[in-house]
């Protein structure tokens, strides 16, 4: 017998387990439609592999694991994929999530499965691959992909493999009945897991309120070296951390994993699923679910296909909806309410609890905390729930964190004992979520700040470059002007001129830094050179005339041509400038600044304004925008711009017109 | 010496007090030197609290300038995106009083994200130039789009768009962002809590 | 009908705040009976009148604060305060004394701080101390126990309360007083001379203390509070008394047994120190809290100016409770070290 340690706190709620243990596991059959949420586990949602309309066979892979922490999904029966869309799922928010919907054909035809084999013949990676391919996720409630937990880093030594058969929550008997009826399968699963992680010892932990299960498990484990540890019933001894402390006396460090103390923990349901997957190649497509509570006539356990609507199970158990004010998935301590009985069973659905109003009455209004300390006595994490409550309620999240808010396992023991009926766990959940949200916000703000600063820097750099280019251009222009003047003074020294030209070019290049000669400069240069040529030609013509040379006519046409060219060049330059000036982006850096400035000005103006004035302003602004858009539209129509653009402009004008109308109405309302 | 003290209790008391003062003063001084926390410059700390939406609603061209202004003594209640929580954090940091948000500068809104109706975008690049965090992607005459994860929801890109095709969409609640709210204690006096407040979730 | 959406847990334990308070009330019964048996109906009249006033004041305060009185009166906390103060007051107190005490307890100590759960000081003890400081004469005049003097009947008790002028109170120093004033006699002689002493401690007092002890043990058994604070307090009182007991000289502070069964020791240990709102919260914190209350009780009793000291000791420790909490945080699961507050 191993030494059973104790953990702090804990409570003894009424167990209510016998109701659902009268009958053996019953097959829930095949419902007409199965809804498989893509995310039934912790981690990334699975990626669908089938298309709508496709026929799938039982056990066929329909969605594969996305990334490392994820789990695959298989068709629970044969049929046709009818939809891949958001559907309501079992989640307290009632929000829909992506689901894969299969209409069953009733044939229940299996796809081809990997051949059965015995685990001793398989290497570890192969074993792990089989478990991963079967899509097994922790069946105790958390839904952590089993393969991830089992994929140990090389070189780690596991001290203890714990198979969790505690099932400490009231009402739930799924693991109990599984241990009674399928003890051998669980033990084989445990052996496979042990083969995989090679622990120094393997222990199956069971609470002492399940004598039949203990007997069955002891018999099945006979001679396997697997130990069955029995310990007193106390909630929440089935919590992973508590169970580890119970069986090993070690505490998982805060924020750490069981592996940090050399422990791997799996649920009995998971062990059974692992045995199925490895020995028969069967993926996880069904599970045992308890349906219980006073609002069902025959509480019992079902073997149910994943994706089956809860209402199907409830109907089989004789559900009286009128008696049932709240429907809980999971147990009364940690389960959550579901908004609608139509939501599907998932890998983690160990229980559907349909209590009557007398059984679990609606929570009465909370009274003041009298600091009785009962909560602190009950807390299995040795927290001070009343202080956490105080801080959470006052939104002093930092202090709550300093009081180890994040070590709360949300077991509900504190709320259970609180004489003032304070919904403590809700405070902790909200506080945790807000803290996480704040952390995310801070991260995002930091990210935005970096981007803003990077942008600011870039704009400054661009501005500086532009400035440099402008300076270079100016210098080059001056140079050219000087050169032009030099050229005008005659061809006294062509060599000198050529040298100067070359120098000027070099200077311009140097000053222009890396900048390419832009079209403007090119045009300018053309104009200048053409003008030079023209002057030269005219001088020659004059000379020829004075000399009475015979090629005057030829010279004349030459001059004429050059003049035309100059005119054309000048025109081109002008055109270019005309085109550039308006379009030349007002230094882009200033656009954001300008927008901010504008927004600021607008807001400053908004200050101290009556709603009437605000409405009037609003209208004016919209009208201005409308006018602008209309002008733009007319312009682009006239210019015969692309169809699409004209259309877009037209529709925006329409929208603005609507907005203006609305603003008018508002203004009228304000005025009246 | 001792005798003198015994005879003049007043002197003794005085001495004791001065002595105590000296000892504690020395202790405190030592602690201050020994355990000094290397703080960021105050502007950095303020800037770290501001939401970095860069929207200019506070009357400054971006969050950092406002941080500088706050460090120089400006009111801490001018940033609507930061909201009351931001004001509280600033008050805590600067040891000032918590004041309500100055609604001259706008109201606290749910976080939003810009969305460009892409088939209406004419590719004018105006919004790109307005976005303070480069959250808009696009080229001239080509469709633009907002990188939702980078958008701060500052709303500065809406106005410049000539075809008015940018919408500010409130960020939708998803399964990942949903969480239980703190129980509502505001109604019916302080302590009666309608546990969870039913549909409020 | 839409399905309810609430957060877990869905089950709730059997205990409620009103039930806690009612059990505390019930647990005072033996003590009150013994007090009545020895000192007459004075205490009962105190309690009845105090309860009436407390409920009215509470309702008034709730109304003023805009809270629904019906709901809050249901927690019975005002009744508990009234009963505790009624027991602590000397029997045959005049009505105005009770009224002032209850007003101080309910209006000042409780509602000015925000009502049940927010009061840093034990309301009953605040009321008691306010009276003790304002009206020391009335507050220190105890009736003689049966066997040491005349015990008035019910009618006289009512008269004493409501028409104080017409009632000549017979009073007698309490044993703690006698012991304190004594500086000439050996304890043994004192015992023999003074009629107020009984077998182990004061006549009547010893039985009242035993009765309160019984009530307290019952509450412990019902797990209304934990043993830590009362046991620590009693242990420290006994220890201090043992340390300073010199076998019965004229300067003796009294034997441990005498201290355990005198004055408000048991009443304080099980009904005042265990007041959850104003004490420390963690287990270690309660040990420290109770021990320090015990220490103060003994010190004030023996070396201070007042014959009994539970009220002062408790109020002083109320001040210290948050501080104690700060330094006695339990070690959270998975954390190394003691997890002392940051
Ligand atoms: S159990 Fe409830 S009333 Fe008691 S201390 Fe905890 S939160 Fe307060
Ligand atoms: S819910 Fe959290 S605080 Fe409450 S008992 Fe459980 S672990 Fe402790
Ligand atoms: S108002 Fe806008 S720019 Fe100003 S600090 Fe707040 S988020 Fe930054
Ligand atoms: S996309 Fe628009 S709303 Fe979003 S950050 Fe950029 S300018 Fe602001």
């Amino acid at each position: 017998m191993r030494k059973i340690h104790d953990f702090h706190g804990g409570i003894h709620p009424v167990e209510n387990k016998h109701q659902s243990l009268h009958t053996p596991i019953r097959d829930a059959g095949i419902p007409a439609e199965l809804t498989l949420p893509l995310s039934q586990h912790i981690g990334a949602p699975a990626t669908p592999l089938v298309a709508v309309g496709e026929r799938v066979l039982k056990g066929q892979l329909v969605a594969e694991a996305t990334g490392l922490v994820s789990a695959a999904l298989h068709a629970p029966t044969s049929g046709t994929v009818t939809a891949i869309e958001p559907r309501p799922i079992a989640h307290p928010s009632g929000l829909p999530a992506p689901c894969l919907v299969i209409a069953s054909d009733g044939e229940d035809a299996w796809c081809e499965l990997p051949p059965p084999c015995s685990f001793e013949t398989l290497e570890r990676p192969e074993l792990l691959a089989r478990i991963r391919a079967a899509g097994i996720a922790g069946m105790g409630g958390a839904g952590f992909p089993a393969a991830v937990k089992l994929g140990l880093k090389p070189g780690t030594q596991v001290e203890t493999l714990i198979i969790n058969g505690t099932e400490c929550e009231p009402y739930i008997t799924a693991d109990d009945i599984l241990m009674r009826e399928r003890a051998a399968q669980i033990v084989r699963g445990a052996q496979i897991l042990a083969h995989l992680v090679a622990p120094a010892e393997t222990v199956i932990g069971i609470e002492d309120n399940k004598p039949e299960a203990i007997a069955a498990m002891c018999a099945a484990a006979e001679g396997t070296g697997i130990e069955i540890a029995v310990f007193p019933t106390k909630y929440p001894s089935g919590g992973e951390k508590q169970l580890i402390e119970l069986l090993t006396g070690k505490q998982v460090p805060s924020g750490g994993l069981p592996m940090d103390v050399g422990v791997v923990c799996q649920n009995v349901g998971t062990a059974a699923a692992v045995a199925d997957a490895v020995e028969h190649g069967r993926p996880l497509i069904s599970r045992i679910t308890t349906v219980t509570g006073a609002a069902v006539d025959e509480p019992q356990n079902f073997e149910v296909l994943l994706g089956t609507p809860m209402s199907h199970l409830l109907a089989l158990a004789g559900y009286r909806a009128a008696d049932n004010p709240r429907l809980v998935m999971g147990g009364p301590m940690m389960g959550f309410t579901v908004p609608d009985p139509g939501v599907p069973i998932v890998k983690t659905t160990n229980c559907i609890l349909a209590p009557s109003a007398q059984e679990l009455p609606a929570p009465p209004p909370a009274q003041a905390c009298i600091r009785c300390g009962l909560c602190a006595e009950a807390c299995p994490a040795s927290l001070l729930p009343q202080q956490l409550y105080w801080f959470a309620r006052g939104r002093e999240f930092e202090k709550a964190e300093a009081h180890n808010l994040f070590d709360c396992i949300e077991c509900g023991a504190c709320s259970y004992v609180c004489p003032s009926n304070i919904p403590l766990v809700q405070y902790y959940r909200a506080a945790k979520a807000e803290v996480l949200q704040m952390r995310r916000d801070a991260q995002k703000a930091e990210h935005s700040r970096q981007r803003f600063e990077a942008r600011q820097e870039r704009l400054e750099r661009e501005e500086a470059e532009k400035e440099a280019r402008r300076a270079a251009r100016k210098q080059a222009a001056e140079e050219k002007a000087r050169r032009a003047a030099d050229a005008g003074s005659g061809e006294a020294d062509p060599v000198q001129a050529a040298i100067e030209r070359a120098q000027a070019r070099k200077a311009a290049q140097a000053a222009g830094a890396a900048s390419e000669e832009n079209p403007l400069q090119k045009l300018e240069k053309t104009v200048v050179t053409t003008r030079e040529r023209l002057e030269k030609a005219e001088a020659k013509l004059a000379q020829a005339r004075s000399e009475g040379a015979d090629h005057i006519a030829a010279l004349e046409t030459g001059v004429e041509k050059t003049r035309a060219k100059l005119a054309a060049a000048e025109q081109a330059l002008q055109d270019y400038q005309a085109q550039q000036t308006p379009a030349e982006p007002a230094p882009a850096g200033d656009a954001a600044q300008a927008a901010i400035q504008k927004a600021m000005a607008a807001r400053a103006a908004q200050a101290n304004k009556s709603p009437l004035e605000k409405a009037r302003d609003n209208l004016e602004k919209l009208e201005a925008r409308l006018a602008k858009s209309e002008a733009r539209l007319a312009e682009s129509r006239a210019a015969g711009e692309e169809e699409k653009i004209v259309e877009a402009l037209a529709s925006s004008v329409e929208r603005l017109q609507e907005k203006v109308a609305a603003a008018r109405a508002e203004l009228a309302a304000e005025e009246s | 010496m001792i005798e003198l003290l015994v005879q003049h209790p007043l002197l003794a008391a005085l001495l004791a007090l001065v002595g105590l003062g000296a000892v504690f003063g020395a202790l405190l001084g030592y602690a201050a030197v020994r355990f000094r926390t290397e703080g960021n410059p105050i502007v950095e700390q303020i800037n770290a609290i501001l939401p970095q939406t860069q929207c200019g609603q506070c009357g400054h061209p971006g969050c950092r300038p406002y941080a500088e202004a706050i460090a120089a003594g400006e009111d801490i209640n001018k940033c609507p995106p930061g909201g009351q929580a931001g004001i509280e954090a600033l008050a805590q940091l600067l040891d000032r009083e918590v004041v309500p948000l100055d609604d001259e500068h706008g109201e606290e809104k749910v976080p939003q994200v810009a969305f460009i109706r892409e088939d209406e975008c004419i590719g004018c690049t105006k919004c790109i130039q307005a976005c303070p965090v480069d959250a808009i992607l696009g080229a001239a005459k080509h469709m633009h789009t907002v990188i939702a994860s980078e958008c701060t929801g500052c709303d500065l890109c809406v106005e410049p768009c000539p075809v008015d095709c940018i919408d500010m969409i409130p960020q939708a609640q998803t399964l990942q962002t949903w969480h239980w709210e703190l129980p509502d204690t505001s109604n019916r006096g302080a302590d009666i809590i309608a546990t969870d407040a039913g549909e409020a979730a | 009908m839409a399905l309810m959406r609430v957060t877990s847990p869905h089950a709730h334990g059997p205990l409620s705040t009103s039930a806690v308070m009612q059990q505390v009330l019930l647990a005072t019964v033996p003590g009150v009976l013994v007090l009545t048996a020895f000192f007459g109906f004075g205490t009962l009249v105190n309690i009845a009148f105090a309860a009436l006033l407390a409920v009215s004041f509470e309702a008034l305060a709730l109304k003023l604060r805009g809270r629904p009185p019906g709901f809050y009166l249901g927690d019975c906390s005002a009744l508990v305060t009234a009963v505790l103060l009624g027991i602590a007051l000397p029997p045959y107190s005049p009505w105005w004394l009770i009224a002032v005490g209850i007003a101080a307890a309910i209006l000042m100590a409780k509602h000015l701080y925000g009502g049940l759960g927010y009061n840093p000081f034990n309301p009953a003890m605040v009321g008691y101390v306010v009276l003790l400081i304002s009206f020391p004469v009335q507050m220190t005049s105890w009736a003689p126990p049966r066997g040491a003097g005349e015990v008035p009947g019910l009618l006289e008790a009512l008269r004493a309360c409501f028409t104080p002028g017409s009632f000549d109170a017979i009073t007698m120093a309490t044993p703690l007083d006698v012991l304190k004033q004594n500086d000439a006699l050996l304890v043994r002689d004192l015992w023999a001379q003074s009629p107020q002493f009984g077998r182990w401690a004061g006549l009547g007092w010893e039985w009242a203390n035993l009765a309160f002890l019984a009530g307290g043990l019952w509450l412990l058994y019902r797990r209304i509070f934990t043993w830590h604070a009362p046991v620590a307090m009693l242990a420290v009182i006994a220890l201090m008394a043992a340390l300073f007991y010199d076998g019965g000289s004229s300067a003796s502070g009294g034997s441990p047994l005498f201290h355990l069964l005198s004055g408000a020791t048991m009443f304080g240990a099980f009904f005042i120190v265990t007041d959850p709102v104003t004490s420390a919260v963690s287990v270690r914190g309660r040990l420290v809290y109770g021990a320090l209350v015990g220490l103060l009780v003994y010190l004030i009793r023996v070396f201070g100016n007042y014959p009994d000291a539970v009220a002062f000791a408790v109020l002083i420790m109320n001040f210290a409770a948050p501080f104690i909490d700060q330094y006695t945080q339990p070690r959270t699961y998975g954390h190394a070290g003691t997890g002392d507050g940051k």
Side-chain angles (χ1 to χ4, degrees):
Chain A
M1 273 311 283
R2 71 188 296 116
K3 175 169 167 29
I4 300 294
H5 303 258
D6 193 14
F7 63 89
H8 178 265
I11 53 174
H12 298 92
V14 190
E15 286 171 16
N16 282 316
K17 286 186 187 266
H18 59 274
Q19 292 96 321
S20 50
L21 284 170
H22 297 309
T23 47
I25 300 175
R26 174 173 161 198
D27 189 352
I30 305 170
E33 187 181 82
L34 294 162
T35 312
L36 296 173
L38 292 176
S39 186
Q40 308 193 3
H41 49 263
I42 290 176
T47 316
L49 294 176
V50 290
V52 174
E54 205 171 303
R55 181 178 148 81
V56 291
L57 291 173
K58 182 174 189 168
Q60 179 184 337
L61 182 68
V62 290
E64 65 177 351
T66 317
L68 194 62
V69 185
S70 184
L73 279 180
H74 303 80
T77 184
S78 59
T80 320
V81 178
T82 53
I84 300 176
E85 63 185 19
R87 291 272 178 110
I89 61 161
H91 189 273
S93 68
L95 291 170
C99 293
L100 203 141
V101 186
I102 298 175
S104 51
D105 57 13
E107 287 168 29
D108 212 22
W110 276 96
C111 70
E112 206 177 311
L113 293 177
C117 65
S118 93
F119 68 91
E120 287 93 346
T121 62
L122 289 177
E123 287 297 311
R124 279 192 197 190
E126 276 174 72
L127 264 183
L128 208 55
R130 273 207 172 200
I131 293 174
R132 188 170 164 79
I136 299 173
M139 318 250 298
F144 197 79
V148 181
K149 249 191 193 178
L150 297 168
L152 304 172
K153 280 194 220 84
T156 42
Q157 174 55 42
V158 177
E159 285 296 318
T160 317
L161 169 66
I162 296 178
I163 307 294
N164 187 347
T166 317
E167 203 164 52
C168 59
E169 273 229 32
Y171 286 99
I172 310 179
T173 54
D175 288 348
D176 189 354
I177 205 141
L178 185 75
M179 287 189 283
R180 291 186 193 192
E181 298 192 12
R182 300 183 191 168
Q185 191 185 349
I186 295 172
V187 169
R188 278 202 311 284
Q191 283 174 310
I192 296 171
L193 293 173
H195 183 65
L196 200 55
V197 300
E201 52 173 0
T202 304
V203 190
I204 301 182
I206 310 174
E207 268 185 352
D208 62 5
N209 61 352
K210 307 177 187 61
E212 289 94 337
I214 294 168
M217 290 302 289
C218 281
E222 193 82 60
T224 57
I226 293 175
E227 189 185 338
I228 310 288
V230 179
F231 41 84
T233 303
K234 169 161 105 172
Y235 178 84
S237 51
E240 192 174 68
K241 292 180 169 180
Q242 280 63 41
L243 184 61
I244 290 171
E245 187 172 10
L246 267 176
L247 294 181
T248 68
K250 294 183 242 180
Q251 294 194 340
V252 182
S254 168
L257 294 170
M259 203 39 237
D260 299 343
V261 289
V263 174
V264 170
C265 202
Q266 292 285 1
N267 174 267
V268 283
T270 313
V274 164
D276 237 5
V278 172
E279 294 185 331
H280 306 288
R282 272 205 293 268
L284 178 62
I285 52 168
S286 68
R287 66 156 299 137
I288 312 288
T289 297
T290 310
V291 181
T292 184
V296 294
D297 291 332
E298 298 162 44
Q300 57 191 305
N301 282 285
F302 289 96
E303 165 125 40
V304 55
L305 297 179
L306 300 180
T308 304
M310 282 190 186
S311 47
H312 177 86
L313 276 194
L314 285 166
L316 287 182
Y319 178 52
R320 299 183 310 276
D323 292 350
N324 180 227
R326 73 175 121 185
L327 190 60
V328 178
M329 176 176 136
M333 297 304 297
M334 292 186 75
F336 53 83
T337 52
V338 292
D340 178 337
V343 300
I345 303 284
V346 293
K347 292 175 185 172
T348 52
T349 313
N350 48 7
C351 179
I352 304 172
L353 177 57
S356 67
Q358 296 78 40
E359 202 175 11
L360 296 181
Q367 289 169 295
C369 167
I370 54 169
R371 312 208 333 144
C372 62
L374 289 173
C375 50
E377 256 176 79
C379 177
S382 302
L383 296 165
L384 289 177
Q386 69 277 57
Q387 301 294 88
L388 292 177
Y389 155 67
W390 205 254
F391 296 137
R393 182 169 164 180
R395 306 185 66 86
E396 294 176 81
F397 298 132
E398 260 171 43
K399 284 202 194 144
E401 259 184 277
H403 277 72
N404 302 326
L405 171 65
F406 280 87
D407 287 301
C408 165
I409 57 170
E410 300 179 13
C411 67
C414 50
S415 302
Y416 178 85
V417 296
C418 176
S420 288
N421 283 303
I422 301 171
L424 295 166
V425 178
Q426 188 177 351
Y427 280 98
Y428 309 148
R429 290 204 169 116
K432 282 185 192 174
E434 299 234 1
V435 170
L436 293 177
Q437 182 64 41
M438 260 152 46
R439 284 191 196 154
R440 271 200 300 271
D441 285 353
Q443 244 170 32
K444 164 133 196 186
E446 176 58 21
H447 185 69
S448 308
R449 189 181 62 79
Q450 280 169 4
R451 286 182 70 92
F452 180 67
E453 277 166 11
R455 178 192 155 93
Q456 223 61 0
E457 215 169 274
R458 192 192 75 225
L459 293 178
E460 269 159 33
R461 204 176 52 234
E462 278 172 4
E463 191 59 29
E465 274 168 16
K466 212 172 288 158
E467 198 51 49
R469 273 204 302 274
R470 210 174 287 140
R473 223 160 37 222
K474 199 159 144 227
Q475 201 181 348
E478 275 168 10
E479 202 64 38
K480 270 173 213 148
R482 211 177 63 233
R483 207 175 50 220
D486 286 354
S489 69
E491 317 140 286
D493 193 346
V495 181
Q496 180 66 27
I499 292 176
E500 268 174 19
R501 265 202 303 274
Q503 274 172 350
R505 209 177 298 140
K506 218 184 261 166
Q509 261 168 17
S515 76
E516 298 263 300
E517 255 189 329
N518 67 16
L520 183 67
Q521 280 167 317
K522 243 187 249 165
L523 286 168
E524 279 170 349
K525 215 193 287 161
T526 332
V527 173
V528 172
T529 45
T530 325
R531 195 174 286 142
E532 274 168 25
R533 264 163 57 202
L534 178 61
E535 279 163 8
K536 265 187 228 156
E538 275 173 344
K540 263 194 198 147
L541 179 59
Q543 200 183 355
R545 277 217 181 105
S546 66
E547 284 169 10
D550 45 28
H551 56 281
I552 290 176
L555 278 175
E556 263 172 357
T557 46
V559 167
E560 225 39 82
K561 261 190 207 150
T562 316
R563 198 171 275 149
K565 259 190 207 156
L566 175 62
E570 271 172 356
Q571 185 57 42
L573 177 60
Q574 254 173 28
D575 279 0
Y576 184 75
Q577 277 168 342
Q579 180 192 359
Q580 280 298 302
T581 340
E584 183 161 30
D590 297 349
Q593 258 359 314
I596 291 183
Q597 228 82 13
K598 239 194 264 173
M600 270 159 40
R603 261 146 203 151
Q606 287 270 333
N608 300 328
K609 264 189 201 150
S610 68
L612 177 61
E613 277 169 329
K614 274 190 194 156
R616 196 170 288 144
D617 274 6
N618 194 12
L619 178 59
E620 263 167 34
K621 239 182 355 214
L622 282 172
E623 273 171 347
R625 251 160 89 190
L626 176 60
K628 208 165 78 182
S629 298
E630 273 168 350
R632 176 92 170 77
L633 174 61
E635 205 177 286
S636 57
R637 279 226 175 92
E641 271 188 46
E642 258 180 75
E643 189 79 346
K644 201 184 120 215
I645 294 182
V646 176
E647 255 175 37
L649 283 168
S651 76
S652 89
V653 166
E654 263 166 39
R655 256 199 321 280
L656 273 171
Q657 274 163 347
E658 275 164 29
K659 277 193 189 168
V660 167
R664 280 226 177 88
E666 197 187 316
L667 180 59
E670 280 296 340
E671 274 169 347
S672 66
Chain B
M1 177 79 188
I2 304 273
E3 235 157 78
L4 187 78
L5 286 183
V6 172
Q7 274 158 19
H8 297 86
L10 189 70
L11 197 63
L14 211 66
L15 258 181
L17 279 182
V18 170
L20 276 180
V23 168
F24 283 119
L27 254 177
L28 281 179
Y30 172 74
V33 175
R34 175 78 174 64
F35 301 110
R36 191 190 12 227
T37 45
E38 280 301 331
N40 268 341
I42 193 73
V43 173
E44 288 305 326
Q45 290 181 43
I46 298 173
N47 199 26
I49 291 175
L50 293 176
Q52 307 297 330
T53 306
Q54 315 292 2
C55 63
Q57 291 187 71
C58 51
H60 294 272
C63 299
R64 206 193 151 81
Y66 182 41
E68 282 159 11
I70 291 179
E74 194 162 316
D75 287 344
I76 56 174
N77 61 345
K78 296 186 172 178
C79 170
Q84 201 59 37
I87 294 175
E88 272 159 28
L90 286 172
Q92 169 106 27
L93 172 68
L94 301 169
D95 206 10
R96 296 205 205 158
E97 210 153 297
V98 176
V99 277
L101 184 66
D102 184 352
D103 56 10
E104 259 176 37
H105 293 269
E107 291 143 21
E108 194 175 350
K109 282 185 278 189
V110 284
Q112 293 182 313
V113 49
F115 174 74
I116 296 181
R117 288 194 300 275
E118 289 167 355
D119 44 352
E120 292 168 29
C121 169
I122 54 169
C124 69
T125 75
K126 290 216 157 68
C127 53
I128 296 191
Q129 292 161 33
C131 177
V133 291
D134 285 336
I136 303 181
L137 206 64
K141 306 247 178 216
H142 287 83
M143 178 193 87
H144 291 17
T145 196
V146 174
I147 313 169
S149 61
E150 306 290 354
C151 172
T152 65
C154 69
D155 161 0
L156 291 178
C157 53
V158 173
E159 224 259 348
C161 177
V163 293
D164 207 16
C165 73
I166 305 183
D167 292 326
M168 296 305 297
I169 302 176
Q171 270 174 32
Q173 201 170 45
T174 64
L175 281 180
Q176 282 71 45
T177 58
W178 181 90
H179 60 81
W180 288 103
E181 296 293 335
L182 285 176
D184 181 11
T185 52
S186 57
N187 56 354
R188 291 196 283 156
D191 290 316
I192 304 189
I193 300 158
T195 314
D196 161 55
E199 294 300 301
Chain C
M1 183 173 58
L3 287 167
M4 210 191 294
R5 279 166 65 189
V6 288
T7 189
S8 65
H10 306 281
H12 191 268
L15 214 53
S16 73
T17 298
S18 343
V20 169
M21 298 289 177
Q22 282 157 13
Q23 299 197 36
V24 170
L25 287 178
L26 212 58
T28 59
V29 167
V32 172
L33 286 182
V34 171
L35 280 179
T36 309
F38 278 94
F39 297 95
F41 289 98
T43 306
L44 273 186
V45 174
N46 279 357
I47 292 176
F49 187 53
L52 191 76
L53 281 177
V55 171
S56 343
F57 280 146
E58 175 102 344
L60 178 78
L62 288 170
K63 201 130 229 134
L64 287 179
R65 293 176 56 218
R67 311 289 159 86
F71 175 74
Y72 283 96
L73 282 177
D75 64 27
C76 298
S77 60
L79 274 183
V80 170
T81 302
V83 170
L84 298 186
L85 186 61
I87 293 173
L89 289 179
Y92 313 107
S93 294
W95 63 269
W96 50 265
L97 196 73
I98 301 176
V100 171
I102 289 290
I106 300 285
L107 298 181
M108 197 172 89
K110 190 170 173 193
H111 282 285
L112 273 191
Y113 285 100
L116 178 64
Y118 296 85
N119 49 313
F121 303 108
N122 186 317
M125 290 301 103
V126 170
Y128 183 82
V129 165
V130 164
L131 293 179
L132 187 58
I133 293 173
S134 318
F135 312 103
V137 178
Q138 283 85 348
M139 288 300 288
T140 44
S141 29
W142 270 84
R146 200 180 295 275
E150 261 319 280
V151 173
L154 179 58
L155 265 182
E156 277 169 299
L158 287 173
R159 239 176 357 113
C161 182
F162 296 106
T163 52
S166 69
F167 176 76
D168 269 334
I170 326 156
T171 62
M172 193 176 235
T174 62
L176 277 169
D177 247 337
V178 175
L179 195 71
K180 191 177 200 80
Q181 307 305 336
N182 166 51
D183 50 9
L185 295 171
L186 291 181
V187 169
R188 198 162 351 105
D189 300 337
L190 191 69
W191 218 267
Q193 279 186 15
S194 313
Q196 22 308 62
F197 288 100
R199 186 190 292 262
W200 307 290
L203 186 59
W205 289 100
E206 50 199 17
W207 293 108
N209 267 293
L210 287 175
F212 282 121
L213 172 62
L217 290 179
W218 181 70
L219 286 179
L220 262 185
Y221 166 73
R222 301 296 314 241
R223 299 176 142 264
I224 298 299
F225 48 70
T226 58
W227 56 267
H228 305 88
V231 168
M233 168 179 164
L234 296 178
V236 169
I237 290 185
L239 190 78
M240 289 297 288
L243 274 182
F244 285 89
Y245 187 52
D246 54 8
S249 78
S250 60
S252 165
S255 72
L257 195 59
F258 174 77
H259 274 283
L260 286 182
L261 295 182
S262 280
T265 305
M266 290 297 169
F267 173 66
F270 289 100
F271 293 89
I272 303 296
V273 168
T274 53
D275 167 36
V277 177
T278 54
S279 70
V281 288
S282 66
V283 165
R284 278 196 298 154
R286 287 189 170 164
L287 281 175
V288 174
Y289 176 83
L292 289 176
V293 170
L295 183 70
L296 282 176
V297 166
Y298 185 81
L299 290 182
I300 301 177
R301 262 186 193 173
V302 176
F303 302 109
N305 270 334
Y306 288 91
D308 203 354
V310 171
F312 284 109
V314 165
L315 286 188
I316 290 171
M317 289 316 295
N318 285 171
F319 270 112
F323 192 70
I324 297 175
D325 282 342
Q326 178 82 2
Y327 288 96
T328 53
Q329 277 180 39
R331 187 185 64 81
T332 306
Y333 180 103
H335 283 257
T338 51
D340 277 3
K342 287 188 214 163

